[in-house]
Amino acid sequence: MEALKELLFKMADDSLVIGHRMGEWTGIAPMMEEDLAFSSIAQDKLGHANTLYDMLHELGEADADTLGFLRSANEFRNCQFVELPIGDYDFSLVRHFLFDNAEFIRYKHLANSSHEPLAKFARKVIGEVRYHVMHGNAWMKKLGNSHTAEGLERMQQQLNFAFPYALGVFEHSPSENEIKDQGYFVGEDTVKEEWMNTIKSVIAETKLTLPENAEPVTGGRKHEHTEHLSTMLEEMSVTLRLDPSVEW
Amino acid sequence: MKIDSLDPRVSRLKISADNSDFRPLANLDDLTTYQVFVRLKDKRPLLHVGIVHGPDLEIAFMHAKEQYSRRLTCTELWVVPTAQVICSDYAFVGESVYELEYSAADLDNIELPGVDLSNVSSFEIFHQSKRGVQQKHVGSVEATSLSGAFLKAKEAFANLPKAPAVSIWLSPSNAFRKSTEDEKEIWNMLDEKRYRDAIVYKVKHKIDAYKEKVRSNA
């Protein structure tokens, strides 16, 4: 049971944090159509977090709002990658591309999870995640083939910066073996291997190169976070914390 | 934490609240427009729904998906560069667009930017049944030139049982980004996004209750 909760928590926390980060572009994305698309993807992510927290509630945890808004940063199990500030749009797009390809593979495998509510959920939302990946890949191919030196340089720099964090997505959580043994999930190593193949094949269609010998930035799955997470959580819950008993 | 403004430009982009540090951007020269067609349900025709901007066809498709298929239902999406859609003139009310006299030479002199006609083997045909309504996809015809496509369309579609078309659009089939059978699943969750529709927010009973309260206090 603890292993299952661990899996659900890391996925829910990833979705909530990336959803909030992507939502920070609402109103200020570089073009209106992109504003709408990025915001919709953010909304999907928040919806996924909500469903996963509901699943945890069914297993005896607090309700979704409490889990999402009222825990402190050191209780979160998201990878550090998702909590980094949005930066310029180049970074946000590179993160979207790297992170969502991992999500897509994760959900494809989760469709066979032994925890039936999770399997059902994965089968239901796979189409949403598919669109997220189509969107991320399309931009990566476009900007990764930029006609200007500045454009290419910026994308390459963001890829170099983001890649070690992206490898941290696959950090094992303490119960990794049990998660696999119980059939909840195929495990991070399998996802990482398939993810590398996908990322390589998309990058091969651009003028960019993947950094070599990158060391994963880990810690998130063990509750270790950058200072950015607590700042974000504070902003996210500022209204609710004024009076948590208010009915919305 | 202090929130200076609810305008995201002020709080997130750190722009002064009086907009004094706004500067006009240089003109962008790399964006163009694309026409979008949506099939709401299987067996219904594709309908023209509007325009999106994009830096290329693939990204225009991604934008169109969120802009034009975020409500109701959708099973198929087509996107085509605006410059590659050829629009006829309007026929008078009650007359058919196919009675307009176009010479083959005039049609074949029309420029289709970015199209290599040697790669074109068919055209998609759209009809407008009267002014002001959406263009509707009626089918495709095999042709390698615009004049050939117009002739073939006349043979195939001039005598449809519906009222005569008042205008038609023609566009090379291979100019479109069409969603694939495989990609249909991107719309699977649309049914659960009803919160995007104003109609699901039922407030009339609250307004009625409030009016009743005001009335009984009067």
Side-chain angles (χ1 to χ4, degrees):
Chain A
M1 181 71 90
E2 285 313 304
L4 176 61
K5 284 187 183 176
E6 201 175 278
L7 173 66
L8 294 174
F9 262 119
K10 72 176 172 185
M11 288 177 57
D13 292 347
D14 273 357
S15 299
L16 177 68
V17 175
I18 194 73
H20 186 83
R21 285 297 186 210
M22 295 183 88
E24 287 178 40
W25 281 107
T26 301
I28 57 170
M31 56 190 289
M32 199 178 66
E33 280 93 341
E34 192 53 19
D35 199 305
L36 185 63
F38 225 61
S39 302
S40 296
I41 294 172
Q43 198 179 34
D44 290 347
K45 303 289 189 204
L46 296 177
H48 299 171
N50 193 45
T51 309
L52 291 162
Y53 286 135
D54 280 348
M55 242 179 258
L56 280 159
H57 187 45
E58 292 284 313
L59 298 173
E61 293 292 328
D63 64 21
D65 283 348
T66 308
L67 293 178
F69 288 111
L70 297 175
R71 282 180 304 153
S72 59
N74 61 15
E75 294 173 88
F76 274 72
R77 295 177 215 198
N78 58 279
C79 56
Q80 292 187 4
F81 193 27
V82 291
E83 72 202 35
L84 300 176
I86 57 176
D88 282 334
Y89 209 59
D90 48 15
F91 171 70
S92 280
L93 278 176
V94 168
R95 172 165 61 185
H96 164 47
F97 160 69
L98 293 172
F99 179 78
D100 278 297
N101 271 293
E103 285 274 275
F104 190 42
I105 295 163
R106 185 177 298 276
Y107 277 100
K108 277 199 261 190
H109 285 294
L110 283 168
N112 302 314
S113 172
S114 61
H115 185 55
E116 188 47 37
L118 184 55
K120 208 173 139 192
F121 167 65
R123 290 194 290 268
K124 195 167 119 179
V125 300
I126 191 79
E128 278 182 357
V129 188
R130 186 194 184 108
Y131 170 71
H132 303 172
V133 165
M134 288 164 67
H135 179 269
N137 291 358
W139 272 112
M140 205 62 199
K141 288 178 195 170
K142 180 70 188 170
L143 297 178
N145 287 303
S146 172
H147 299 299
T148 68
E150 188 202 346
L152 282 181
E153 197 184 307
R154 284 180 61 168
M155 291 304 282
Q156 186 62 57
Q157 272 176 7
Q158 297 306 340
L159 189 59
N160 294 349
F161 171 73
F163 197 66
Y165 284 97
L167 292 173
V169 171
F170 312 103
E171 175 188 2
H172 288 194
S173 46
S175 310
E176 178 76 11
N177 287 336
E178 201 190 332
I179 290 172
K180 287 199 283 190
D181 293 343
Q182 295 287 329
Y184 297 137
F185 179 49
V186 68
E188 299 296 339
D189 295 344
T190 307
V191 178
K192 182 179 174 181
E193 198 185 320
E194 292 175 28
W195 174 83
M196 274 304 298
N197 291 336
T198 312
I199 298 302
K200 277 182 189 161
S201 74
V202 177
I203 294 296
E205 291 182 56
T206 69
K207 297 175 190 161
L208 307 172
T209 49
L210 278 181
E212 281 175 35
N213 309 319
E215 279 297 318
V217 179
T218 57
R221 307 303 187 200
K222 300 187 198 78
H223 312 269
E224 293 160 17
H225 296 287
T226 65
E227 76 275 17
H228 305 299
L229 181 63
S230 46
T231 316
M232 190 199 100
L233 292 174
E234 197 187 327
E235 184 189 341
M236 201 171 83
S237 58
V238 63
T239 315
L240 184 62
R241 282 175 200 272
L242 291 176
D243 182 357
S245 67
V246 167
E247 290 227 3
W248 295 85
Chain B
M1 128 168 212
K2 186 170 162 285
I3 292 178
D4 294 327
S5 165
L6 292 177
D7 183 338
R9 292 169 303 176
V10 174
S11 51
R12 297 189 202 130
L13 288 183
K14 311 279 184 257
I15 288 169
S16 59
D18 63 2
N19 287 346
S20 59
D21 47 14
F22 263 126
R23 297 278 177 282
L25 287 172
N27 279 334
L28 296 173
D29 59 4
D30 56 349
L31 294 185
T32 176
T33 65
Y34 296 80
Q35 302 297 321
V36 184
F37 303 86
V38 159
R39 193 192 303 280
L40 291 173
K41 289 185 175 158
D42 288 332
K43 292 177 186 168
R44 296 247 195 106
L46 284 136
L47 294 174
H48 179 241
V49 286
I51 304 167
V52 284
H53 284 93
D56 66 21
L57 182 58
E58 188 65 16
I59 291 173
F61 178 91
M62 301 304 155
H63 288 160
K65 187 264 174 187
E66 273 313 321
Q67 196 152 322
Y68 293 108
S69 64
R70 57 188 287 106
R71 295 197 171 88
L72 304 170
T73 55
C74 182
T75 64
E76 196 172 347
L77 178 71
W78 288 9
V79 179
V80 65
T82 302
Q84 298 183 18
V85 179
I86 301 305
C87 310
S88 72
D89 296 317
Y90 279 101
F92 286 110
V93 179
E95 288 178 7
S96 165
V97 65
Y98 293 106
E99 286 157 26
L100 297 177
E101 287 188 15
Y102 289 116
S103 79
D106 284 348
L107 286 173
D108 291 333
N109 274 335
I110 296 173
E111 253 190 87
L112 281 164
V115 176
D116 177 3
L117 275 175
S118 63
N119 290 328
V120 173
S121 58
S122 71
F123 284 73
E124 303 295 342
I125 311 295
F126 302 87
H127 272 189
Q128 191 179 26
S129 56
K130 58 183 177 191
R131 289 181 185 223
V133 301
Q134 291 160 289
Q135 292 280 348
K136 186 167 82 179
H137 185 238
V138 287
S140 61
V141 292
E142 282 181 25
T144 54
S145 67
L146 215 45
S147 60
F150 188 74
L151 268 180
K152 286 275 186 71
K154 187 173 182 170
E155 284 166 21
F157 308 123
N159 297 313
L160 290 179
K162 279 272 194 175
V166 296
S167 78
I168 64 166
W169 289 0
L170 307 90
S171 189
S173 302
N174 61 3
F176 290 76
R177 166 67 164 94
K178 301 175 178 178
S179 62
T180 63
E181 192 59 31
D182 222 30
E183 287 168 347
K184 269 188 177 181
E185 66 175 359
I186 64 178
W187 293 289
N188 277 356
M189 290 285 285
L190 257 188
D191 200 36
E192 307 214 1
K193 298 187 197 289
R194 297 292 307 278
Y195 51 78
R196 287 174 173 172
D197 300 320
I199 200 166
V200 303
Y201 297 96
K202 307 280 186 210
V203 291
K204 189 164 183 302
H205 64 285
K206 287 188 187 170
I207 296 170
D208 288 347
Y210 177 73
K211 280 185 184 165
E212 188 54 40
K213 197 175 135 198
V214 171
R215 205 175 297 131
S216 59
N217 286 346

